[in-house]
């Protein structure tokens, strides 16, 4: 049990990669807060964890609202005693070629993926610093290296690299590590719901591994980075992408 006695908050965890991460951390003994803006689906994930013998709590909070985030961290500490692990996973895409992209699509992705991660980290780090212990994993994307139709998403995910590195430097002396996990193509709605032309140029033809990844492939790496096995790793980006980042971004 890697996480016995530890508490994890996973944002955007009612489905997809976030749900897989919440289940994996709970399977390995963590008490998990399943955060999302979708109440009923988060409750399903919590039920699933409880049925498997784990401990979980659903907390509805919009990560783009600092007061809601702060209340979520306070409730986590009230119910479970600490925030040891934070996974900034909540995300979305609003794809378009830049000439067709409205400003609102830039703002909504920047607010959700970048400011939301900063809000959650800022709030959780107060508790982590007090305990002199913490693990934060930012869920990124291989798109930080650039993708056509992803000017908002790529820029924001690249910004998350800077946030990861800056916070890692700021908190390393407090026994808090902060890393980023960059999934490649994962068999989840965020990939499968993309516009056909964008999805087409992301196909597995452009990566060495002849299959796309599963959410569990990402969850296992997050569990490693969230554990004490990774205590000497901080400020890093780990690509979980079947080698896609080795070749398709070189043109
Ligand atoms: N699926 C992929 O192929 C892929 C690839 C690379 C990176 N990613 C990244 O992985 C993460 C999860 O992706 P996914 O495919 O599981 O996506 P998903 O759309 O299935 O899940 C995202 C979750 O975030 C929640 N959410 C949205 N706005 C929120 C808010 N304001 N506050 C709280 N929760 C909110 C949604 O309700 C949803 O449950 C994202 O950060 C995404 O950028 C996914």
């Amino acid at each position: 049990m890697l996480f016995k006695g530890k508490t994890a908050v996973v944002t955007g965890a009612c489905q997809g990669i976030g749900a897989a991460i919440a289940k994996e951390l709970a399977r390995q003994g963590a008490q998990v807060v399943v955060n999302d803006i979708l109440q009923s689906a988060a409750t399903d994930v919590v039920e699933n964890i409880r049925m498997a013998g784990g401990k979980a709590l659903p907390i509805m909070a919009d990560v783009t609202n600092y007061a809601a985030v702060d209340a979520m961290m306070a409730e986590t500490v009230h119910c479970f005693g600490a925030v040891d692990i934070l996974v900034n996973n909540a995300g979305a895409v609003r794809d378009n070629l830049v000439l067709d992209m409205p400003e609102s699509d830039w703002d909504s992705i920047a607010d959700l993926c970048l400011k939301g991660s900063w809000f959650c980290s800022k709030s959780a780090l107060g508790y982590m610093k007090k305990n002199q212990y913490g693990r934060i994993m930012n869920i990124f994307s291989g798109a930080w290296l650039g993708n056509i139709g992803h000017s908002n998403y790529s820029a924001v995910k690249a910004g998350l690299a800077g946030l990861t590195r800056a916070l890692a430097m700021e908190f390393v002396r407090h026994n808090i590590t902060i890393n980023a996990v960059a999934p490649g193509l994962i068999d989840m709605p965020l990939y499968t719901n993309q516009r056909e032309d964008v999805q087409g140029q992301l196909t597995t033809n452009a990566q060495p591994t002849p299959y796309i990844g599963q959410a569990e492939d990402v969850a296992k790496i997050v569990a490693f980075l969230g554990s004490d096995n990774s205590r000497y790793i901080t400020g890093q980006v780990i690509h979980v992408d079947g080698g896609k980042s080795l070749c398709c971004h070189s043109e």
Side-chain angles (χ1 to χ4, degrees):
M1 286 277 179
L2 271 184
F3 302 115
K4 198 164 178 347
K6 294 279 193 283
T7 298
V9 175
V10 185
T11 70
C14 86
Q15 62 180 37
I17 293 172
I21 292 170
K23 287 177 195 167
E24 180 63 22
L25 297 181
R27 194 180 67 79
Q28 302 218 39
Q31 313 172 117
V32 180
V33 167
V34 176
N35 157 262
D36 211 286
I37 43 174
L38 303 173
Q39 169 96 42
S40 59
T43 307
D44 288 350
V45 175
V46 165
E47 274 311 300
N48 198 295
I49 289 172
R50 288 179 181 160
M51 299 265 281
K55 272 195 189 164
L57 181 73
I59 301 185
M60 297 309 100
D62 179 344
V63 299
T64 67
N65 175 332
Y66 190 71
V69 164
D70 226 20
M72 168 170 71
M73 296 304 171
E75 189 179 345
T76 302
V77 172
H78 176 74
C79 294
F80 289 143
V83 181
D84 302 297
I85 298 163
L86 167 66
V87 185
N88 286 313
N89 168 79
V93 283
R94 300 268 183 284
D95 305 331
N96 225 326
L97 298 173
V98 67
L99 297 183
D100 300 322
M101 186 179 286
E103 185 181 345
S104 56
D105 283 357
W106 171 275
D107 288 343
S108 66
I109 294 303
D111 278 356
L112 174 57
C113 300
L114 191 51
K115 196 153 82 171
S117 299
W118 185 73
F119 276 173
C120 291
S121 301
K122 183 174 161 63
S123 182
L125 278 164
Y127 297 104
M128 290 176 175
K129 187 176 170 189
K130 215 177 276 172
N131 284 348
Q132 291 291 294
Y133 183 87
R135 296 279 182 269
I136 297 181
M137 279 72 66
N138 292 321
I139 307 300
F140 234 65
S141 167
W144 80 296
L145 298 169
N147 267 335
I148 294 168
H150 269 165
S151 60
N152 53 355
Y153 187 72
S154 291
V156 159
K157 292 290 187 179
L160 211 42
L163 179 67
T164 302
R165 291 173 59 89
L167 292 183
M169 288 177 192
E170 210 170 310
F171 284 91
V172 67
R173 67 184 188 283
H174 298 294
N175 194 24
I176 297 168
T177 65
I178 301 163
N179 289 290
V181 175
L185 304 180
I186 303 294
D187 191 10
M188 282 291 149
L190 195 138
Y191 164 69
T192 51
N193 291 344
Q194 295 206 56
R195 265 178 32 182
E196 235 172 70
D197 54 337
V198 176
Q199 206 186 98
Q201 46 114 1
L202 297 177
T203 59
T204 52
N205 296 337
Q207 72 177 42
T209 313
Y211 50 83
I212 71 170
Q214 300 299 316
E216 291 69 26
D217 293 320
V218 180
K220 290 205 160 64
I221 297 303
V222 171
F224 165 69
L225 290 172
S227 76
D228 288 338
N229 293 332
S230 69
R231 65 179 194 164
Y232 206 48
I233 302 174
T234 194
Q236 302 304 306
V237 177
I238 313 291
H239 284 265
V240 183
D241 67 353
K244 187 168 161 57
S245 51
L246 291 174
C247 46
C248 76
H249 289 284
S250 60
E251 72 264 16

